[in-house]
Structure formats: structure tokens, C-alpha cells
Amino acid sequence: MKASLVLLQTYTIASVLISTVAATESNRNRHQKPTPYIGTKFGEKCKALVAEKEYKDGLELSCETPNGEIYTVDDVSSEWVQSSMATHELISGETELIVPLGATVDRGKGKLHMNKGKEETPELLNSLDSDERRNLNVVQGTRTVLIVRVVAYDESTTRTMGELANSVFGADSGVAGADDEVNLRSQYLACSHGKLTFAPTSERGLAASYYGEGSDISNGAVTVHVNTSIAEGDDAMRNDITDALNDMFGVSSPAVLADHVMYCLPPGTMSAIAYAYINSWNSIYNDNWCTYVSAQMHEIGHNLNLAHSNEDEMAYNDQSGVMGFSYTENDGPLMCFNAAKSWQLGWYSDTDQAITLSLDGDRSYVGRLSGVVHYNDGNNPNSSSNPILIKLNREKRLTDFFITFNAKTGPNSGTMEGANEVLIVKSGDEGKGYYESELVAKLGVGDIYHFSRFDGSLITAAVSVERIAGSQFAEVSICIGDCDATHAPTLSPTPYNCLSEKVDFEVNIVTDNYPKETTWELVNKCNEETILSGGPYDDPLTSYSHSILADCQAEYAFIIHDAYGDGICCNYGEGSYEVKREDSSILIGGKYGPSEESKFGSCPSMAVPEDVPTEVLIKTPSASPSNPPSLSPTLDLLASPTKSPTPAPTGTPSSTPTEVPSRVPTVAPSSTPTVAPTLGPSWAPSSAPVRSSMLEEDLSDSCGGIGIRGDCWVKDGCVWSNGICVVQPKGDCHLGTSANVCWRREGCIWSDEKCMTGLSDSCFSNTRYNDCRFTEGCMWFQLRCITVPSDICSLGYNAGICRRMEECKWNSDECVMATGSGR
């Protein structure tokens, strides 16, 4: 047999790979760097770890030695790693590598050289079958965390041990002086509904044999001193930190100290923002990224065997949960996980709120669908007993579909995409193992998603949304194959049984302690007419009732706002709202952020073509074009009046991937969210799907042939809308009469106290996050690139955004420089 890499699931060689050199008597102030290992023969065993590093294509194989050092195997192809992961022959954190004789390690660069060509395929032996695999999916109980602050030869981690502990564990964690309300511990605890807790690892003193600098482990944090300079990079510094921890506490590996060990490196050590090893204990952060809650959850998610959440086949692009992009915010955005990741984590599988539909079992579901935030929510009878996760199982395919209602409330109130919509996500490995997910559809009221050839045959499936009740639930119809009449999805919401042309609508408001912050409107979406509105109010904790006689057969949107951004329940009083039609309650709520939009009813529906493309989303057009366009944030770029809607959705190609999955994850999930995302995040999702009909002439112009969003935005006169490139309607942005309305209109920006098209801003053409960051005078705001305004606080158009801007505060219903104290 030619020298090759052999993978085993059982330990067969008992030896120590690399010994470290203890601190010498002449250098007791800092951990002594081990001697170089360039050219040292390896010829031993190590554990296989998988990661994707920035600026590398695909998955990367690494080798973890028994003492916790990690080396990148540089001559094994990414394609082999991907295929071996997909077939479970290689399981990160479990499979062992037997390294051939003649292999060498370059410790200074963190590389393991196999000394063989990439064309030599590594041989796989003794892999456990799927029934014998360790359960990596249900993650519950208490897991310990150790945060490592690093003092390098020429630089130190910016934050103190106390600040790091506060940002990870926060208030009510037992950490002395901790008061951070949003952190790794609090978010995982909230999203798992108490099933997963991250706690500080046990207090521990330095080993008696250790003479170098460093601290005891206190409040789950420790300071480590190494002789590595930041110029040597994270690969060298990472292993020096590992050796230092082993020496400081007399352990065989840092994994002995805690379930998860977070290395917070000094600034300038690495270009990536963070990365982590799959199904492992180690995660690495670039200085302050150690304190950002989205990065903490994302990287620890990789440790828990979670892959990336993608959209449009671009890594990180699914921004509905934390396995997409990470953000530079200490306390937000508040997000949980998408449907596929939530199913994999197993937190909700112990009740009938997670159900499976398939050809061989239950084929249909009609009823309410809530979000994962509503799991066993005894305080919300409208949501507590509804399903929260639905799996569409495909026996003959490698991937399945996972569905949830992305409720924008509670620990998910900061979701950056698909808020209060029904989201469909595709993922593989039966929703049990490491597999990249793909967001394929975001459904609002009246939308339907069709699957043709659902399970490798002519069997079809469909998901339709009948109604959305704010952040409480959606009413859905789901059917696989032939369903009876009561279980077949309809192409539009089931119309209310109107006994007369006009009916009574009633809106009841109970104010909280700050009634002047509450306003609302009830809008007829068929003609964009506001039929009823209310607020601001004068009296706190007071009931107000409003009523009107209006069209029975119509689609309505109830939109309620809170100027401070915290809703009307329950931090400052038990406020609430209720919308009734003919004395029957339609909407009930009160917990929301800056605003919440709920829809009910339907306009006269249009016919749908018989030949529905594979896996296609159909947006139900309105009965007639709006005239005039609404000032509410619909993001309807095609609101200019037309003669009449087209009789069916036009034949624009679906932006969702076809149902034929790849054998392996598309681009291997990164342990590292990149500094510069592959493509900047998509524009902020609309609070309501675009419903205007698409004219034939709009698709035949010079914009219609552009199929890439970035190319579309930079072409004069074109805008990206609903997955296609179309002509920018004239005079569209001037309708954004306030910052709140303007920012929600796709293609528009708020500047100099007016709403204007983004094409007039030189920064606007930077559709990539990193391109924007490194363009002088530009900044990334609300998922787009804008010119930095002279008054930065003018961007804080509501209290929720203003409070997240360090220089600003919310005062007297506006965002101002923080020269005093606000509420």
C-alpha cells in the first residue's frame, strides 16, 4: 500500500505526538514558545477536525493532537473532505487520522505536510455506520465555557477578563458584577427554552509547577501570556495558547478545562473575524468579535455541529437566523435558528409541535403554524399548541424541506430577514447532521410554493399561506401528492364568507405606560387606502375603541408602531391590541418591537397557470393596481398604475434552486464567517411581499436581461425587485415622506431630510459589505451602502436602531447625540 492517510474510529496507537517545552528558569514571566518542529517526522495519530478558513476554497482538514494542538493538513483536497463528510466516512471531531511515516509538521505555520500528492486519495477504514454514530444533534443540559484573553509578545486582547465574562455570560449567571442582558448564555437559553445553558467553567488555580505569568480561572475567564507576535498569525498563536493553558493548569488538553474554549486574540493577529472547528471545543475570535453575540452564537454553533445557512447558493446569505452573517453589535440582533437548524438541535422534538409529512405517512396539514419562540408558550394561547416545525420528508432524495413561521418577537425579535413570514429551508442528512441549509422561499399572505417531482417522481407538493396574525402565527395549508378537498392548499387565502358588501371592523387598544409612543393604521391592501387609524394617545393604561364600516371582501393590513421600539407589552405596562370583524376577534397582540404588521382577508384572486415550474413561488397579485401608492412600507417598486394586472404571474424564472441536490454540501460551511462576505446581504426583507403585477414591457427592457442583483443595482435606471431586475419607477422614492417609510422602500435612502433614489448616492453602488466598508466616506446601514451623514444620529429613525448607536440616544421622539440621559 502506498503511503496514505488512514482514518480510524478507534484509538490504535498510544503515544504522545508533540511534546512542549516547559518554561525555563531564565524566562518565568511569559510562557516559553516550544522549539520549532519544521522537518520533524510525524508518524503518529491525531483526531480529524474539519473547518473552512478564509481565502480557502471548500472544507479544510485539520489534525488535532492529544494535547489539543491543531494543524492544517495541507495536501488533502477539499473535494475529498467534502465527499467524505457527506457519506459520514469522515466525521469531524470523531474520526482519527493515522499519519503516514515521513509526514512532517511545520509548527510555526500550523501545517501538517503529508508529503504526498493530492491525487493520492486517502483510504478510509473502520468508519462507524450511521446507527453507531454518537448523537451530535440533541444538544441539551449545561455546557461549560472558558474565555481566554491573550497577552501576546507585542499586543493584547482589548477587553479585560471581566468584560469578556460579562459579554458571554451576562446578568443572572453568577459572574461577579455581570449586567449584560444579551449574550451567548441568555440567547441560547431563550432560544432553547431553557434546555441548553452555557455556564462559566469551574474556578481553578495555577499548577504548582508553573512559574510563568498568567491568571487563575475566575468567572469563566483566564489571561494567557505567550511569546508569539501578532505578525506570526493565528495558526502559530493558537497552538502557543494551547500549550500555555496545558502548562498553566497541568492538563493534557484545554478540552479538559471546559466544553468550549474561546480564544480571544489580540487585534491584528488574523484577518478573519472568527472561526471554529466543527463538533469540537475550540473557537477563535478577532479581538472584539469575542463580545458580539451573533458571532458567539455562530461559532459555538459550529462547535455544536451546525453548518452555515445560505440563500441563493451564497454562504451566510440566509439572515433569518444566526448561522448566516454575524454583526458588529454587542447586544443584537436578537435571532435564533432557521427551521433546519432548529430541527437538528432537537430542542422541540419532545412535543407534537414538531411534525413530519411524507408520501408514506401524513401527507397534509391545514391550520396554524407558530414560530420556535412559541414553544410551549403558556402565556400565548393563540400560539402555544400550534406546530412550530414541519419537515417535508423525501425518501428518494438527499435533502428534505423544513418549514416554520419566523415570528419576529422575543429572542427572535431582531431577525434580519423573512420576519413574520413562513420560511421554507432545504437541508440534508435528514436534518440530523452537519449540512448547509438553503433558504428557498419566504411566504406572505396569499403566497404559494409549488414542488413538482417532489420525491423523484411526478408527485407534487404545495405550501400556501392563508393568513398571518402578527408575530403570533400563520394559517397554512400544506399538501404532498393527492389530498382530499379539506387538505388541499389553495392558491389564495380562503375568503371570508361575506353576507353583505360592508361589515363592521373594530380596533381596541389598551395603552401601556407611554401612550404617546403608540400609533397604528388599518389599510385596505386592494386599493392601499387607510380606512382607520389611531394614536398617539394621551392616557396610560387606558382602553380605546375605534370602529368603521368597510368593504368585506378585501385584504387588510393592521400596522402598529411604537416610537421607542419596545411594543406595548410588557416592559412598561400590560398594553394590548385587538382587531375584530363582525364581533369576531381576528388579531390579538402587544409584544413587538418598533412595529408589527398583520394581514387578513383577500382581494379577488387571479388564475394560476396549469404548468407550474419546479419548486416555484407564486405571489398572488392584487385585484387592481394601487392608486395612489401606499406610504406604508410595502417595498412595492411597481406601484405605478397599470391598465390591469396580468392574468397570471409572468414567466420570470424562479430564483430558488432546483430540487436536484448536490451529493455534498455546496460550499463547505465555514468555521469562519469571512471579513468580507461573498456578497453583501440582500436588501432588507419587506414586511409584506410585493404584489403588483409585472408588465410584459418591464421584462423586455434593458434591465430585464440582467440576472445578478449587484449588476442590476449599478445599472442606471434599474432596481432589483422580487428576484428580478426591473426599471426604477419614476417618482417612487419621493413617496417616502419619513425616514421610517423611506428606508423600507427598496432602492431608496434617507438623506438631508428627504427620500431619494439610492442611485444618486455614490456609495450605493457598493452592493458588497466589504466593498462598502473600505470605501472612504461610506458605511453599511440597513443592509445597504450609504454615504456617512454629517449627523450620524439622523439614521436612528426609531428607538430600536437609535439605542444601538453608541454616539446617540432616543429623546423626545427623536434620535440625538448622547449628551444627556434619555429614558
Side-chain angles (χ1 to χ4, degrees), residues 618-637:
I618 298 174
K619 297 282 190 179
T620 306
S622 59
S624 60
S626 58
N627 187 18
S630 167
L631 294 182
S632 60
T634 60
L635 294 186
D636 188 351
L637 293 180

Side-chain angles (χ1 to χ4, degrees), residues 213-234:
E213 277 190 325
S215 71
D216 296 341
I217 295 176
S218 176
N219 291 321
V222 66
T223 294
V224 167
H225 294 250
V226 293
N227 262 343
T228 320
S229 69
I230 61 174
E232 293 177 75
D234 57 291

Side-chain angles (χ1 to χ4, degrees), residues 539-682:
D539 300 320
L541 306 177
T542 301
S543 297
Y544 292 87
S545 183
H546 310 260
S547 61
I548 192 173
L549 191 68
D551 293 340
C552 177
Q553 186 62 56
E555 179 186 8
Y556 288 97
F558 175 73
I559 309 163
I560 186 166
H561 311 275
D562 186 273
Y564 190 71
D566 60 353
I568 53 177
C569 183
C570 303
N571 295 328
Y572 300 98
E574 300 290 327
S576 65
Y577 66 78
E578 180 184 27
V579 180
K580 300 172 73 173
R581 177 174 53 192
E582 294 287 275
D583 293 326
S584 296
S585 179
I586 299 173
L587 303 173
I588 299 175
K591 291 183 179 181
Y592 58 93
S595 66
E596 180 177 77
E597 180 172 349
S598 306
K599 294 183 179 180
F600 60 92
S602 63
C603 302
S605 59
M606 306 301 294
V608 176
E610 295 181 1
D611 297 327
V612 182
T614 300
E615 294 180 13
V616 63
L617 168 61
I618 298 174
K619 297 282 190 179
T620 306
S622 59
S624 60
S626 58
N627 187 18
S630 167
L631 294 182
S632 60
T634 60
L635 294 186
D636 188 351
L637 293 180
L638 302 173
S640 54
T642 61
K643 294 180 180 179
S644 62
T646 55
T650 58
T652 53
S654 165
S655 61
T656 52
T658 58
E659 65 176 341
V660 181
S662 60
R663 175 95 177 146
V664 296
T666 49
V667 172
S670 164
S671 342
T672 342
T674 59
V675 174
T678 304
L679 185 61
S682 57

Side-chain angles (χ1 to χ4, degrees), residues 309-312 314-319 325 417 679-681 709:
S309 297
N310 305 337
E311 184 181 10
D312 297 331
M314 290 187 288
Y316 315 108
N317 239 29
D318 175 4
Q319 299 165 79
F325 287 106
E417 183 174 11
L679 185 61
R709 179 177 57 217

